[in-house]
Amino acid sequence: KAGVTQTPRYLIKTRGQQVTLSCSPISGHRSVSWYQQTPGQGLQFLFEYFSETQRNKGNFPGRFSGRQFSNSRSEMNVSTLELGDSALYLCASSLDGGGYYNEQFFGPGTRLTVL
Amino acid sequence: QKEVEQNSGPLSVPEGAIASLNCTYSDRVSQSFFWYRQYSGKSPELIMSIYSNGDKEDGRFTAQLNKASQYVSLLIRDSQPSDSATYLCAVALSGGYQKVTFGTGTKLQVIP
């Protein structure tokens, strides 16, 4: 079974631009979570989607948004990029997300650099 | 108080020794606990999950959970240089949905 895929793998943008990242979960997985990872803050939860609905949201500004499509693929968007948005953005999928035993599996990540 | 706490390390152990990684969490009703391994420049890889008090073994890895004391640990037996990585503890908190909180990780160095 194919793993979680994320595109693009690397991005370089300038301040003020916007960016869209894509995530395709493992086949059959319906929950997709997004995380931001920086050396100083570790893994920070952005949001989680299940059946095209955002169920959980972390403490990030409204510039960070996401959506999920009917095939469970998900995108996240960051508008008006700031230097501090430079990070590794990780997507994780799990089978259901609402149960007791659900494990998350990560994609390779998108490395975003904001200049 | 952080929700999930880990010693950042680095934890240095000689090759062949047992590495012991610890994690404490603050939410008493947490239900699911995970250990991830992350190599430098790579994404986290799930290596163990544990849901009940006690030990769970998988090859050289043993996860230990003590809900009364609110800690979870990972033991790596016969440590190898290839085990050198950052180990992330993750906890699924109460609330019903898949909101997983990660610790900041412990860096493990296995010295040949």
Side-chain angles (χ1 to χ4, degrees):
Chain A
K1 190 181 271 192
V4 180
T5 59
Q6 291 187 245
T7 57
R9 294 292 311 278
Y10 302 92
L11 265 179
I12 299 176
K13 293 286 188 179
T14 56
R15 281 184 300 173
Q17 288 187 307
Q18 76 167 21
V19 66
T20 299
L21 313 181
S22 180
C23 171
S24 291
I26 293 170
S27 177
H29 284 196
R30 299 163 67 192
S31 170
V32 173
S33 297
W34 288 90
Y35 295 87
Q36 180 196 66
Q37 188 174 37
T38 58
Q41 297 296 318
L43 264 171
Q44 300 291 310
F45 173 76
L46 282 156
F47 27 66
E48 184 249 350
Y49 286 88
F50 178 80
S51 292
E52 302 178 66
T53 300
Q54 186 182 88
R55 293 196 301 190
N56 272 299
K57 190 177 189 304
N59 296 322
F60 278 81
R63 301 185 296 107
F64 292 82
S65 62
R67 58 177 176 169
Q68 186 180 35
F69 303 94
S70 59
N71 61 358
S72 293
R73 190 177 69 85
S74 178
E75 289 182 346
M76 68 162 283
N77 184 277
V78 188
S79 63
T80 319
L81 284 167
E82 300 177 359
L83 294 179
D85 296 333
S86 294
L88 180 66
Y89 289 88
L90 292 159
C91 162
S93 79
S94 64
L95 190 61
D96 182 288
Y100 191 86
Y101 295 100
N102 283 280
E103 301 165 328
Q104 291 188 336
F105 298 90
F106 283 87
T110 295
R111 173 75 62 185
L112 172 64
T113 301
V114 182
L115 303 176
Chain B
Q1 182 188 7
K2 290 183 180 178
E3 294 176 78
V4 181
E5 294 206 52
Q6 296 180 256
N7 188 316
S8 61
L11 172 66
S12 295
V13 299
E15 183 175 354
I18 296 175
S20 178
L21 305 162
N22 299 312
C23 169
T24 59
Y25 59 94
S26 60
D27 192 331
R28 184 168 291 278
V29 297
S30 298
Q31 297 182 326
S32 308
F33 307 86
F34 311 95
W35 283 99
Y36 287 83
R37 177 176 63 198
Q38 186 172 25
Y39 292 112
S40 181
K42 301 294 186 181
S43 62
E45 172 193 9
L46 179 67
I47 52 173
M48 290 286 286
S49 54
I50 187 167
Y51 308 99
S52 304
N53 279 328
D55 295 0
K56 179 182 179 182
E57 187 174 317
D58 184 0
R60 297 186 296 112
F61 299 97
T62 299
Q64 300 175 317
L65 175 60
N66 184 322
K67 289 187 177 181
S69 299
Q70 294 176 240
Y71 84 78
V72 57
S73 61
L74 180 70
L75 301 178
I76 306 175
R77 291 182 300 281
D78 188 24
S79 295
Q80 301 297 308
S82 59
D83 294 326
S84 297
T86 295
Y87 289 79
L88 303 170
C89 170
V91 177
L93 303 178
S94 60
Y97 300 132
Q98 188 76 333
K99 184 179 187 303
V100 180
T101 301
F102 285 79
T104 52
T106 297
K107 187 171 183 178
L108 173 67
Q109 296 177 338
V110 180
I111 312 301

